[in-house]
Amino acid sequence: MNEDALTFLSRQHPYDELPVAVLNDIVARVDKISVAEGDTIYDLGAPLKGLYIVQSGLVSVRDKTDTQVSLLERGNSFGERGLLADGMAATKARAVKDTLLICLPADLFRTLREEQSPFQRFFARSGAQPEPTGPQQTSLAQVTVDALMVPDPFTCPPETTILDAAREMTARRISCLCVTADETLTGIVTLRDLVGKAMATGKDPDTEVQSIMTAGPRFLPPTAIGSDVLHMMMEYRLGHLPIVEAGRLVGIVTQTDLTRFQATTAAGLVADAARATTIKALAEVTSRIPELLLHLVSAGNRHDVVTRMITDVADVVTRRLLTLAEETLGPAPARYLWLACGSQGRQEQTGVSDQDNCLILEDGVTESDTAYFQELAKFVSDGLDACGYVYCPGDMMATNPRWCQPVSVWLDYFKGWIEHPSKEAQMLASVMFDLRPIGGDATLFDGLQRKTLKAASKNSIFTAHMASNSLTHQTPLGLLRGLATISSGDHRKTIDTKLNGVVPVVDLGRMYALQGRLPEINTRARLKAALAAKITSAKGGRDLLEAYDLVAQTRLEHQARRIKQGKAPDNYLPPDTLSDFERSHLRDAFVVIKTMQSALMQGRGLLG
């Protein structure tokens, strides 16, 4: 894809949060560097030109022992560690395939890190940490054991026979049994014990496991961190480590759990998705997203960081499906652009996401061209469904011919919605104003967003209808400082943290973007841009941003708890699982959101 530096950086974090003037200055000063497959970008101890950002391709970063420490793809950056130290490369970097880099000069990088808060936050890591930059990896030092362990492990009493223990482990496909007496951990028996201490010595199968178990095994509490597990396993050569709380066995961590955790990073999933050659392989990657969400939340990452990483995986899966589609169907007969809307468009995907997408085709496509793109859309949408991104219940997908059209038709769509804001037009415009290019020719989208934002902001009737439509999702406020829960059905006594929590703020953010002709798509970025542009009052805007952060974080933490319990993540939070303190603050956040909804309707929140 022929993509200029401004377009690329404006869609990457933290550059997407920088003022437009600052971003333009950056683009004017960066260098674009093309590196052929196999060529060295820099070597250990070499002077660093600046911060490198991967626009396309693949880069291997290695330490002084020539061990690979990072494999970096589009959007990743490297070189920070050396720049923050003495300006010399602390690692070495080589292009694994033809790569296009953007190089931010060293002096500009240091200036931005000192003067721009988004940059400060993003590059606030300790210089002792390994590259790459940014919150792309969650280390074992950032996660507590309770997020790693398998809860309620299988146990047996000391009197269990060796034969019965072997049968139990075989049937359950596990590698150890914790031996307990009255819920107290007394020992642990592993497959290695069965082989080395029983079979190899010819013990009678009816011998009790207490004769071969490791008695009084080492253990850790659930408040320990992941690196504690790793260090104890390495020091004492353990493959299994029980987790004990107040004398009671509550879980176990194995070497396999550690390996799985270290493989379940956003970068790891992205790399695996980018190399997948089948839909089945892609589905295996996306099946690990719940684990990724749990790990990221457990490590204390903010909601917008977590959802961005999860969305990055969806983006790569989508682009990989587009590539597989062209390999199956043949090259595309015309220029096209695949776009996502909804939560993927806003980079706000969680553990529960369907698919919302469309295709923009170049003008002049023929009937046979359109037939090809319908096949491509079906291939990709079917693939996304197989990967867990279920079909949109409202048929807002590129497989619907209505959403697979040339640029001129799309312009007519938006023009019609703006000039004739019916209920359907309001709903469709709400979805389509969150469009974000994913794969194909991004130039087909150039101008479309700008023209529609301009036309929409000028039409007061349309914006009034959109404002009214944005208030259809109400916060779950009850009487007497309570929270109003769902009164019947499967989700009785819960609050919907999506429809009645984050969606009202998503709607407000979209309205602010329309009013101010703001190009931002992400909700949090829209709120910050609206605050900077004084579309909201300073106090109202700050309060709304903090309220959104609390509600969105609460939603993610609820999903993480369900994943940890072995359940599918959902959006239905029982308020009685929260402390009085948490409920009080959550209700305060809903009050802020409702206040800003009222201000929008009364015109006080739109100071155009």
Side-chain angles (χ1 to χ4, degrees):
M1 185 193 310
N2 185 16
E3 182 181 36
D4 61 39
L6 179 61
T7 301
F8 170 73
L9 289 177
S10 67
R11 293 170 182 159
Q12 304 299 321
H13 194 61
Y15 308 93
D16 59 345
E17 291 192 11
L18 296 176
V20 174
V22 174
L23 187 57
N24 285 332
D25 180 59
I26 291 173
V27 171
R29 296 179 60 184
V30 299
D31 293 322
K32 277 204 168 186
I33 303 172
S34 295
V35 187
E37 178 180 337
D39 284 358
T40 297
I41 299 165
Y42 60 71
D43 213 335
L44 194 68
L48 284 168
K49 296 180 180 178
L51 179 76
Y52 295 89
I53 309 155
V54 183
Q55 184 168 355
S56 63
L58 195 64
V59 174
S60 172
V61 177
R62 294 178 175 271
D63 63 16
K64 61 184 178 182
T65 67
D66 206 36
T67 299
Q68 181 171 287
V69 295
S70 300
L71 191 62
L72 308 179
E73 298 189 332
R74 175 182 170 88
N76 292 140
S77 52
F78 58 100
E80 170 220 4
R81 186 179 176 188
L83 290 174
L84 294 179
D86 56 4
M88 306 296 283
T91 53
K92 41 191 174 182
R94 181 177 59 83
V96 177
K97 61 182 182 180
D98 290 349
T99 297
L100 180 61
L101 299 171
I102 291 177
C103 182
L104 204 70
D107 60 337
L108 178 57
F109 168 77
R110 295 188 181 101
T111 299
L112 290 169
R113 192 171 181 273
E114 291 174 1
E115 299 179 358
Q116 299 296 327
S117 57
F119 226 72
Q120 291 169 354
R121 290 194 302 271
F122 190 77
F123 292 103
R125 303 176 309 109
S126 162
Q129 287 180 291
E131 294 183 351
T133 64
Q136 279 294 315
Q137 297 194 4
T138 304
S139 73
L140 286 170
Q142 293 174 289
V143 65
T144 54
V145 164
D146 62 353
L148 289 172
M149 70 182 191
V150 175
D152 302 320
F154 294 108
T155 63
C156 68
E159 300 79 21
T160 303
T161 67
I162 291 172
L163 179 60
D164 286 342
R167 285 172 173 169
E168 180 81 352
M169 282 190 257
T170 301
R172 298 188 181 278
R173 297 184 179 180
I174 55 177
S175 57
C176 75
L177 281 172
C178 292
V179 183
T180 58
D182 298 326
E183 295 191 350
T184 299
L185 179 70
T186 60
I188 186 170
V189 60
T190 68
L191 287 175
R192 186 174 181 178
D193 293 329
L194 291 176
V195 173
K197 298 179 182 178
M199 292 180 62
T201 60
K203 281 191 179 294
D204 190 310
D206 290 330
T207 303
E208 295 178 349
V209 293
Q210 59 186 330
S211 68
I212 64 167
M213 72 181 187
T214 299
R218 298 181 185 277
F219 61 85
L220 284 173
T223 53
I225 59 176
S227 57
D228 293 335
V229 176
L230 178 62
H231 295 163
M232 186 172 282
M233 283 184 169
M234 292 178 68
E235 181 177 359
Y236 298 105
R237 299 183 182 182
L238 306 175
H240 307 78
L241 190 62
I243 308 301
V244 175
E245 183 175 31
R248 188 175 67 87
L249 177 71
V250 293
I252 192 162
V253 182
T254 68
Q255 288 182 343
T256 301
D257 295 323
L258 292 184
T259 302
R260 185 185 299 115
F261 171 83
Q262 291 172 314
T264 306
T265 63
L269 266 65
V270 164
D272 289 347
R275 290 167 182 72
T277 57
T278 65
I279 292 175
K280 182 179 179 181
L282 285 171
E284 190 281 326
V285 172
T286 56
S287 71
R288 288 146 52 196
I289 287 177
E291 283 185 80
L292 174 64
L293 186 151
L294 175 59
H295 294 163
L296 292 173
V297 172
S298 299
N301 286 290
R302 203 173 64 185
H303 68 93
D304 54 318
V305 173
V306 177
T307 55
R308 185 182 290 266
M309 289 187 184
I310 291 174
T311 305
D312 284 347
V313 178
D315 289 353
V316 175
V317 167
T318 304
R319 284 191 286 270
R320 191 66 191 130
L321 285 168
L322 287 168
T323 299
L324 294 176
E326 289 198 38
E327 289 175 358
T328 302
L329 303 173
R335 291 187 301 134
Y336 73 91
L337 177 63
W338 184 280
L339 303 99
C341 43
S343 59
Q344 185 182 1
R346 296 188 304 273
Q347 294 180 297
E348 294 167 4
Q349 287 192 316
T350 66
V352 188
S353 298
D354 60 3
Q355 58 174 290
D356 299 281
N357 46 61
C358 64
L359 271 170
I360 296 179
L361 313 177
E362 69 173 314
D363 286 330
V365 290
T366 65
E367 191 173 322
S368 63
D369 293 341
T370 302
Y372 170 92
F373 288 114
Q374 280 294 293
E375 285 297 310
L376 180 139
K378 185 177 187 306
F379 185 101
V380 176
S381 287
D382 287 350
L384 288 171
D385 180 70
C387 290
Y389 305 103
V390 298
Y391 299 118
C392 173
D395 203 19
M396 192 70 67
M397 298 183 296
T399 49
N400 183 340
R402 189 179 185 185
W403 312 127
C404 178
Q405 294 291 336
V407 175
S408 57
V409 174
W410 279 100
L411 284 169
D412 287 342
Y413 282 164
F414 280 99
K415 183 173 182 289
W417 295 334
I418 293 167
E419 293 178 354
H420 307 286
S422 64
K423 280 292 182 184
E424 183 193 36
Q426 295 166 37
M427 183 274 292
L428 293 174
S430 294
V431 174
M432 294 303 179
F433 274 118
D434 294 349
L435 286 173
R436 182 172 61 89
I438 302 297
D441 190 338
T443 62
L444 293 172
F445 192 59
D446 291 348
L448 179 61
Q449 183 192 44
R450 184 176 63 255
K451 290 175 183 177
T452 52
L453 283 174
K454 182 178 180 180
S457 65
K458 285 184 173 181
N459 190 317
S460 58
I461 296 175
F462 173 75
T463 53
H465 278 282
M466 287 291 288
S468 177
N469 185 64
S470 71
L471 304 179
T472 55
H473 297 104
Q474 295 297 311
T475 55
L477 289 171
L479 299 174
L480 302 176
R481 294 195 57 79
L483 292 171
T485 60
I486 297 171
S487 59
S488 61
D490 294 339
H491 305 296
R492 184 172 172 268
K493 293 186 177 181
T494 68
I495 57 175
D496 188 332
T497 55
K498 177 184 177 181
L499 288 182
N500 303 115
V502 298
V503 169
V505 188
V506 169
D507 291 339
L508 285 171
R510 188 184 299 113
M511 278 306 305
Y512 298 151
L514 288 177
Q515 177 70 11
R517 303 181 193 177
L518 306 174
E520 285 80 6
I521 302 298
N522 175 265
T523 297
R524 198 173 195 279
R526 280 173 167 170
L527 297 182
K528 293 189 71 174
L531 185 58
K534 298 183 178 179
I535 295 169
T536 65
S537 67
K539 182 180 185 305
R542 286 195 301 269
D543 286 349
L544 181 60
L545 189 61
E546 291 183 9
Y548 175 60
D549 283 342
L550 178 62
V551 173
Q553 195 74 34
T554 300
R555 178 194 183 199
L556 272 187
E557 289 171 357
H558 164 68
Q559 292 190 6
R561 278 194 298 272
R562 286 186 60 86
I563 293 166
K564 184 177 172 183
Q565 294 164 359
K567 301 175 182 176
D570 68 18
N571 295 305
Y572 300 100
L573 170 68
D576 59 10
T577 62
L578 303 175
S579 68
D580 290 343
F581 181 84
E582 290 170 322
R583 281 198 300 273
S584 177
H585 279 272
L586 189 59
R587 190 184 189 282
D588 289 343
F590 289 138
V591 169
V592 169
I593 296 168
K594 185 174 183 178
T595 300
M596 294 302 284
Q597 286 180 318
S598 299
L600 175 69
M601 198 60 198
Q602 295 168 11
R604 291 200 299 267
L606 299 174
L607 306 177

